[in-house]
Amino acid sequence: MDFSFVSGDPALDLAGTVGSRRSTPVDLLNTPSDLERWVSSCEGLPDGVAVDPEGLASALSLREAIYRLALDRIAERPFTLDDLAVLNTTAAGPPPTVELDDEGVRVSGTLAQALAQVARGAIALLADPEAALKECGRPDCTRLYLDRSRGARRTWCGMDECGNRMKAAAYRARRRARAHPDSDADSDAEA
């Protein structure tokens, strides 16, 4: 399965590797190789990291802490101390190595370094009072995203998946309403 990087930040994209959390959760990081592919696909993180089961467990712990902390931030609740401990401990690790050469920027490092980078990004995001963190407006989607749109009016995590589905559903509902204008009146009369 391909990963989606529409959240506007690697920390939120990591949290988004579980979809449909409220109904039927779909976890995209089930094996160490899944996490290796996610890290390699995520812009700004090292390529070719090796992941063992312990590293996968650390990443999943960080993912869930970021998700809960972001929800706390959105709901304007105090952060949970256990989640803060996971985030801060992970962020204290060494950063990946970043080098510039004629072909561009090259990032290298271990999984621990990649997770430290993600955790530091999450801290910066969660501490920013101007950051417009939101949860996707599609009922089945639980992806969190950073709204950088003008006026912070974005409703969906991404247009390709959620935005198109919501617009298509609204269009179908309008067509049904025009085709059967009396159905709402009939159902109101029966009630």
Side-chain angles (χ1 to χ4, degrees), residues 59-88:
L60 298 181
S61 177
L62 176 63
R63 174 185 73 186
E64 296 309 307
I66 290 170
Y67 182 75
R68 289 187 297 265
L69 290 166
L71 286 178
D72 288 343
R73 168 76 172 13
I74 291 167
E76 299 179 354
R77 296 183 299 244
F79 292 134
T80 307
L81 294 178
D82 290 343
D83 291 333
L84 283 174
V86 169
L87 182 66
N88 290 328

Side-chain angles (χ1 to χ4, degrees), residues 10 39 42 67-68 72 93 106-107 111-112 175:
V39 172
C42 187
Y67 182 75
R68 289 187 297 265
D72 288 343
R106 188 169 45 115
V107 181
L111 175 63
R175 286 193 62 188

Side-chain angles (χ1 to χ4, degrees), residues 23-110:
S23 56
T24 309
V26 177
D27 192 338
L28 301 179
L29 300 180
N30 294 302
T31 66
S33 63
D34 292 338
L35 181 57
E36 288 172 353
R37 286 186 316 101
W38 184 86
V39 172
S40 290
S41 300
C42 187
E43 188 175 326
L45 296 182
D47 287 329
V49 298
V51 177
D52 59 17
E54 183 178 305
L56 176 62
S58 294
L60 298 181
S61 177
L62 176 63
R63 174 185 73 186
E64 296 309 307
I66 290 170
Y67 182 75
R68 289 187 297 265
L69 290 166
L71 286 178
D72 288 343
R73 168 76 172 13
I74 291 167
E76 299 179 354
R77 296 183 299 244
F79 292 134
T80 307
L81 294 178
D82 290 343
D83 291 333
L84 283 174
V86 169
L87 182 66
N88 290 328
T89 300
T90 306
T97 302
V98 179
E99 298 174 304
L100 178 65
D101 61 23
D102 289 335
E103 295 178 20
V105 176
R106 188 169 45 115
V107 181
S108 60
T110 64

